Amino acid sequence: MTEPVKSYEKLSEREKRVRDRSVTQMVNESIYTDIYTDEPIPFRKSSAEEPLPAAYRTIREMAKERLGQSDAWLFCRQGKQIALIKDDYQAPPPRENTFPCYQSLSDGELRGYVSWRTRYLQDDYTLPPTVFLKLYAYELINGIGINRATDGLNQLSALLRFSPPKEPWWQGRVARWMMEYTAYYRMDAQLLWNDPLFLANCLDFQQEILTDADTLPNDQVFNALQLLSSYDLTRSRLYREKPVVFRDGICQMYRAAAHGYEDRKGRSLCDLLFGAFCESPCLLFGDAVFLRDKKEEDGLVYLSPRLFFRCRDGFWSSNIRMGFHGKNQMLGKILRTADQLLREALRYSHPLKAENCPLPGISEVMAKAAKTVKEKEQPSPAPLTFDLSQLEGIRHAADQTRDRLLEGSDDNNPKIPEDAPSGRDENNFTAHEKKDFLSVQSPEPPAEPDALPEDVVLAEDEKLLLRALLTGSDPAAALRRKGFVLSMTADTVNEKLFDRFGDTVILFDGEKPYLAEDYIDEIKGWMNL
């Protein structure tokens, strides 16, 4: 018969120590033998996973050839291949990423991006994930998938139509990229000023409009005030009822306030509201994936009389206002005061409660300007009157017209009086008109077409580059006048001619391009030079 097991409380101190040691030993043996042993980690493979197409496998293989190159270098190399792919693939939304690149996407996400890109270029403007918008913007900034710099600027402008819910600053960021894009590729700033979508999202340019408010029309000044102010002018009751009077009055009062403040303080009101201009170092496309693979030429690119970008020894600086770029609270209070004073001057039936203006003395200046605002009466429509005595004559003329139409004529050609002039004689033209007429009627004979081989198809910008290199003219200036970029055009020419020559045709000595000597004679024959 076995002895009954004693409870732990009835054990002596010696028996407790023995039992504790035994339990500890058993636990340690269990841990080291049963839990912490080496076991292989099983990798689960989804049975529904599709094999990656060959084009995508080629892109993935490029990551193995980077040899210490930067992420931007790999992005540009992969992007040139992705620009050639079209796909139709349904993939789940990608994970959020601050600086996405192709390598950070899974295979399914990469195919999803290429599929969206294909649909977008076919005019499908469904709001995509923010990661896809960033990737496409990075491609445009690096010149991937475009032939001319102006095409890239227009495509960046088109991205301003999207408003991602998780990126409230998306439009402002794209507008900033468009400014830097114009500076980096040395483009005409008028392209930005002619883009209404860009102007509606670029606060820097709106501040420039307010700075030059004296010389600009009221509609531009009013739109700038609306975009920069925390006070919503379009929600004013006076604006909804009398928009023209309200717009002209607010603009007139703002100009008066700007002049009054400058007279009192000796500085611009815009400098107070948005900060003074200051030239400081900047990193172009610092919040994007951008490859700097060449040294930029020194230069100064003006976007407005005061706003410019400067490149010196490869380093960029920008001269912009250093204040807060957002809805301005002080400007909002000034415009709210202007709204209240304008209602008082017009004796509007719904006045606003007076509040303290943040700038002493400006209220009096705006009040004087408000008194000069005269309400423009809308012309009442002219009353419609009918002369009943004329109705009989109208009926008679209509009957005659009807009879002629029903009877018809002997031929389909209208009869021309014999004494009608047959046209202007050559002697009736002035000398200036004759010159213009002859220039249209007698065009110059077309130039002899280029004798290009059948396997070589060159675009207009590519032919322009080759002619400039053969004739010794400045290729960069010639391309810039047509809206092309030298580096992009040279790359496309080298790609098209590589299969024929097996070599690079256009080489660079620093920033200066030149043709390889072995192929000059043959290319001259193509260009008929």
Side-chain angles (χ1 to χ4, degrees):
M1 183 174 180
T2 60
E3 184 178 355
V5 179
K6 296 181 181 180
S7 63
Y8 189 79
E9 291 78 8
K10 295 181 180 181
L11 295 177
S12 63
E13 293 298 327
R14 181 175 176 277
E15 290 174 334
K16 287 181 179 180
R17 288 195 296 271
V18 172
R19 177 171 291 189
D20 291 341
R21 245 188 334 265
S22 301
V23 171
T24 303
Q25 184 177 0
M26 291 173 58
V27 170
N28 290 338
E29 290 177 356
S30 175
I31 290 175
Y32 289 111
T33 57
D34 298 339
I35 300 177
Y36 294 101
T37 57
D38 295 334
E39 295 182 2
I41 300 177
F43 291 95
R44 294 180 300 175
K45 187 173 182 179
S46 175
S47 58
E49 184 178 356
E50 299 181 7
L52 198 62
Y56 292 96
R57 292 199 299 270
T58 303
I59 293 172
R60 290 301 192 195
E61 289 294 328
M62 292 180 181
K64 302 177 181 179
E65 305 172 3
R66 57 190 302 178
L67 299 176
Q69 298 287 349
S70 64
D71 291 338
W73 178 88
L74 179 61
F75 177 87
C76 290
R77 186 170 183 194
Q78 292 177 330
K80 291 180 180 179
Q81 296 298 321
I82 285 180
L84 305 176
I85 303 175
K86 294 182 179 180
D87 202 348
D88 185 10
Y89 181 79
Q90 296 296 329
R95 297 162 300 199
E96 294 297 328
N97 196 328
T98 305
F99 295 97
C101 55
Y102 308 121
Q103 205 61 20
S104 64
L105 301 180
S106 65
D107 293 343
E109 292 171 347
L110 181 60
R111 292 194 64 184
Y113 166 71
V114 176
S115 301
W116 168 81
R117 189 182 188 276
T118 303
R119 295 191 300 270
Y120 176 74
L121 295 178
Q122 296 172 353
D123 299 334
D124 182 359
Y125 301 125
T126 306
L127 178 64
T130 309
V131 171
F132 292 173
L133 288 176
K134 290 181 179 179
L135 285 172
Y136 187 61
Y138 297 165
E139 291 180 5
L140 298 175
I141 290 171
N142 288 281
I144 298 174
I146 58 176
N147 295 324
R148 299 191 303 174
T150 51
D151 295 339
L153 190 65
N154 293 334
Q155 290 294 333
L156 283 174
S157 177
L159 295 181
L160 291 171
R161 294 175 296 186
F162 296 106
S163 181
K166 296 184 179 181
E167 286 284 337
W169 297 99
W170 172 252
Q171 282 88 356
R173 179 177 299 177
V174 174
R176 175 72 181 187
W177 286 341
M178 292 178 67
M179 294 169 56
E180 296 175 351
Y181 187 94
T182 304
Y184 183 79
Y185 291 108
R186 314 298 171 93
M187 302 175 66
D188 187 1
Q190 197 63 36
L191 296 172
L192 298 178
W193 286 101
N194 294 337
D195 188 345
L197 198 57
F198 167 79
L199 291 178
N201 292 279
C202 182
L203 300 186
D204 292 287
F205 274 44
Q206 297 299 328
Q207 294 169 6
E208 287 295 277
I209 291 176
L210 290 189
T211 305
D212 298 328
D214 290 336
T215 60
L216 295 175
N218 287 339
D219 55 348
Q220 290 189 24
V221 177
F222 185 82
N223 290 337
L225 292 172
Q226 171 67 16
L227 290 171
L228 296 172
S229 167
S230 61
Y231 182 72
D232 192 348
L233 295 171
T234 58
R235 297 186 63 181
S236 172
R237 186 166 185 170
L238 180 57
Y239 172 78
R240 293 197 298 267
E241 295 184 6
K242 302 175 181 179
V244 177
V245 175
F246 183 81
R247 181 201 65 188
D248 295 345
I250 290 295
C251 293
Q252 184 173 335
M253 296 170 72
Y254 170 78
R255 294 186 182 102
H259 288 296
Y261 181 81
E262 188 171 0
D263 294 340
R264 289 170 179 266
K265 299 296 183 180
R267 60 179 298 200
S268 169
L269 178 60
C270 287
D271 289 350
L272 172 69
L273 296 174
F274 313 115
F277 278 96
C278 178
E279 184 176 1
S280 59
C282 70
L283 181 63
L284 297 188
F285 311 112
D287 53 351
V289 178
F290 179 65
L291 178 62
R292 295 171 177 82
D293 57 347
K294 63 177 182 179
K295 182 180 179 182
E296 296 87 358
E297 297 180 359
D298 293 351
L300 194 63
V301 181
Y302 276 93
L303 304 184
S304 77
R306 291 161 294 271
L307 196 156
F308 62 81
F309 286 83
R310 186 198 306 271
C311 181
R312 184 187 292 119
D313 297 330
F315 296 96
W316 285 88
S317 62
S318 61
N319 190 60
I320 61 174
R321 294 188 182 274
M322 302 304 294
F324 173 70
H325 283 56
K327 296 288 186 179
N328 193 283
Q329 298 291 333
M330 182 178 291
L331 179 60
K333 293 179 180 179
I334 293 174
L335 295 182
R336 199 267 181 194
T337 303
D339 189 3
Q340 176 251 321
L341 294 174
L342 183 59
R343 296 188 189 199
E344 289 182 1
L346 297 176
R347 297 180 181 179
Y348 187 57
S349 57
H350 300 281
L352 281 178
K353 183 180 179 181
E355 294 182 359
N356 294 330
C357 183
L359 299 179
I362 296 300
S363 298
E364 292 78 5
V365 176
M366 291 194 298
K368 292 180 181 179
K371 293 178 181 179
T372 62
V373 177
K374 295 182 179 180
E375 186 171 350
K376 299 178 181 178
E377 296 292 341
Q378 296 293 335
S380 57
L384 296 176
T385 59
F386 297 94
D387 187 358
L388 299 179
S389 62
Q390 300 293 330
L391 291 178
E392 188 62 31
I394 295 174
R395 291 194 189 99
H396 181 68
D399 292 339
Q400 291 181 342
T401 303
R402 180 198 58 200
D403 295 340
R404 285 197 300 268
L405 292 174
L406 292 175
E407 292 176 0
S409 58
D410 296 337
D411 51 15
N412 294 328
N413 298 323
K415 294 183 178 180
I416 302 176
E418 295 180 359
D419 56 348
S422 60
R424 294 183 65 180
D425 187 68
E426 182 180 357
N427 297 326
N428 294 330
F429 285 97
T430 63
H432 180 70
E433 291 175 332
K434 186 181 297 185
K435 179 180 179 181
D436 294 341
F437 178 79
L438 293 177
S439 65
V440 176
Q441 298 295 327
S442 302
E444 296 181 359
E448 185 179 353
D450 298 324
L452 293 174
E454 294 182 358
D455 59 337
V456 177
V457 180
L458 297 179
E460 187 62 31
D461 59 321
E462 297 161 355
K463 295 178 183 178
L464 182 63
L465 173 58
L466 291 176
R467 289 196 188 96
L469 294 175
L470 291 171
T471 57
S473 58
D474 186 359
L479 290 170
R480 193 181 302 118
R481 284 193 295 269
K482 298 292 186 179
F484 299 100
V485 179
L486 174 60
S487 58
M488 297 181 186
T489 307
D491 289 342
T492 57
V493 171
N494 284 330
E495 291 177 2
K496 290 183 178 181
L497 299 185
F498 185 82
D499 293 337
R500 183 174 182 85
F501 295 106
D503 194 4
T504 301
V505 175
I506 300 179
L507 306 174
F508 281 85
D509 182 8
E511 297 298 322
K512 184 178 180 180
Y514 64 94
L515 286 172
E517 187 176 359
D518 296 338
Y519 316 118
I520 291 179
D521 293 337
E522 184 173 353
I523 297 176
K524 274 186 177 180
W526 296 353
M527 300 289 107
N528 293 322
L529 296 176

